Amino acid sequence: DASSNALNQNIALTVVDTTQPTWQVTPADNTSIQLGAAYSQDVEATDLQAIAYSLNDTSKFQINSATGLITNTTFVPVGTYNLKITATDASSNALNQNIALTVVDTVAPAWTITPADNTSIELGTLYSQDVEATDLQTITYSLNDTSKFQINSATGLITNTTFVPVGTYNLKITA
């Protein structure tokens, strides 16, 4: 006042953050990748505070907690993986996004030892041929004519199971 008397009051002002981060770009959902391919997705959220990213499935995937880059850490078998991505700010406000990643196998096995075609054997001779294919998944071999021939489903070794009369036999080998 005019006599230099003052009234003082101390007050406390607390600034709180109750607002969760927001996605700058919403993480891509229902993504498919080929078996054996590397997976990579960069997610980005915004907030007035620093953000830390996390992921629910750390057995096959990782996320860089500072940048939001998701990658696979190991070979990921065929199947669908449901990932929960979380962006958490320094005040523990969290933003979650669920995505599905599907690993597919659309590539046929490849022969590493090609089945020999137009092979002749002498009547009464045992027939044996080894075929081999490679793939990122386990291969099971099969043969169309099991009345006279067999194939080891695990190794690809073809042999006759009985006497094979004179003639031509068209064998279809599947890996």
Side-chain angles (χ1 to χ4, degrees):
D1 67 11
S3 299
S4 297
N5 297 315
L7 176 63
N8 295 313
Q9 177 69 41
N10 292 329
I11 63 169
L13 173 64
T14 303
V15 177
V16 297
D17 179 8
T18 59
T19 305
Q20 69 183 20
T22 56
W23 292 117
Q24 185 75 19
V25 177
T26 302
D29 191 13
N30 297 321
T31 303
S32 293
I33 62 169
Q34 181 63 38
L35 179 67
Y39 174 69
S40 177
Q41 182 178 174
D42 197 7
V43 297
E44 186 178 341
T46 60
D47 195 83
L48 295 175
Q49 297 188 78
I51 295 174
Y53 297 94
S54 60
L55 192 62
N56 66 324
D57 184 348
T58 56
S59 64
K60 294 179 181 59
F61 303 93
Q62 67 183 1
I63 188 166
N64 182 304
S65 63
T67 66
L69 179 64
I70 304 168
T71 56
N72 56 306
T73 57
T74 186
F75 178 81
V76 183
V78 170
T80 299
Y81 300 87
N82 295 305
L83 304 177
K84 180 180 179 181
I85 305 163
T86 303
T88 306
D89 69 15
S91 295
S92 298
N93 298 307
L95 173 65
N96 297 310
Q97 180 71 36
N98 294 315
I99 64 168
L101 169 66
T102 303
V103 178
V104 296
D105 183 7
T106 59
V107 178
W111 293 115
T112 51
I113 298 176
T114 305
D117 194 14
N118 297 319
T119 302
S120 296
I121 62 169
E122 185 64 33
L123 180 66
T125 305
L126 293 177
Y127 174 71
S128 177
Q129 182 180 177
D130 192 18
V131 296
E132 187 177 309
T134 61
D135 194 72
L136 293 175
Q137 297 193 80
T138 302
I139 294 176
T140 302
Y141 298 94
S142 62
L143 194 59
N144 66 326
D145 183 350
T146 56
S147 64
K148 294 180 181 55
F149 302 93
Q150 68 181 3
I151 189 166
N152 182 306
S153 62
T155 66
L157 179 63
I158 305 168
T159 56
N160 57 305
T161 57
T162 186
F163 177 78
V164 181
V166 171
T168 300
Y169 300 90
N170 294 307
L171 301 179
K172 180 179 180 182
I173 305 156
T174 304

